[in-house]
Amino acid sequence: MTAAELADDGAPTTPTAPLRVVLADDQPLIRTALQMVITDAPDLEVVGEAGDGAEAVRLAESLNPDVVVMDIRMPGTDGIEATRRITEGPSSAHVIVLTTFDDDDYVYGALRAGAAGFLVKDMALDDILAAVRVVAAGDGLIAPGVTRRLIADFAARPAPGRDTT
């Protein structure tokens, strides 16, 4: 037994199963690139790929992944509706929306639909992989540039219960 197979107290460690990921994007090139990056991470595995939202919902229900990485704009059922169906359905999967479009309507729509994360495709690949781990652990994550806008929007609103007249 090697030192890597022992916990701090000297007891043997149990290898953890990789986090199971479904990729949903209508662009095969994006799915392939993400699949290659995820495959290189020893703690992550791609268990399914979908080219539209309806297929993503079916895969989430049948494969019960830990995380679904979801594009917003896809033919047929879009990513926001697919996110809603997954988060309200029997799957325990967490959804990360990964999109080129960081428009506020998309951000709010994704969050209202139950997305645990909102990322933009120009983020570093390591940051996207880290987000998968964070969301799988039950936390939420929003791209830093989007977060700044959400904070500014929130701060500009009047405080609840205060009369601003």
Side-chain angles (χ1 to χ4, degrees), residues 38-143:
I38 290 171
T39 299
D40 285 344
D43 61 331
L44 304 174
E45 97 178 287
V46 174
V47 295
E49 296 183 28
D52 62 54
E55 186 177 3
V57 172
R58 282 191 300 277
L59 289 176
E61 290 174 356
S62 65
L63 299 173
N64 199 28
D66 299 295
V67 176
V68 176
V69 178
M70 179 84 66
D71 188 23
I72 281 190
R73 291 177 57 174
M74 294 185 287
T77 304
D78 68 17
I80 292 176
E81 180 57 28
T83 296
R84 180 176 291 104
R85 291 180 189 174
I86 290 169
T87 60
E88 292 177 352
S91 173
S92 61
H94 302 282
V95 178
I96 296 175
V97 170
L98 177 65
T99 182
T100 305
F101 309 97
D102 70 348
D103 176 87
D104 286 352
D105 288 339
Y106 286 141
V107 175
Y108 289 118
L111 296 177
R112 285 184 187 111
F118 190 96
L119 307 176
V120 290
K121 289 181 180 175
D122 64 358
M123 291 178 67
L125 291 173
D126 285 342
D127 292 340
I128 294 170
L129 295 179
V132 169
R133 294 177 185 106
V134 166
V135 167
D139 292 322
L141 191 80
I142 299 175

Side-chain angles (χ1 to χ4, degrees), residues 10-27:
T13 59
T14 305
T16 58
L19 297 173
R20 299 163 39 84
V21 180
V22 165
L23 302 174
D25 197 300
D26 62 327
Q27 296 179 358

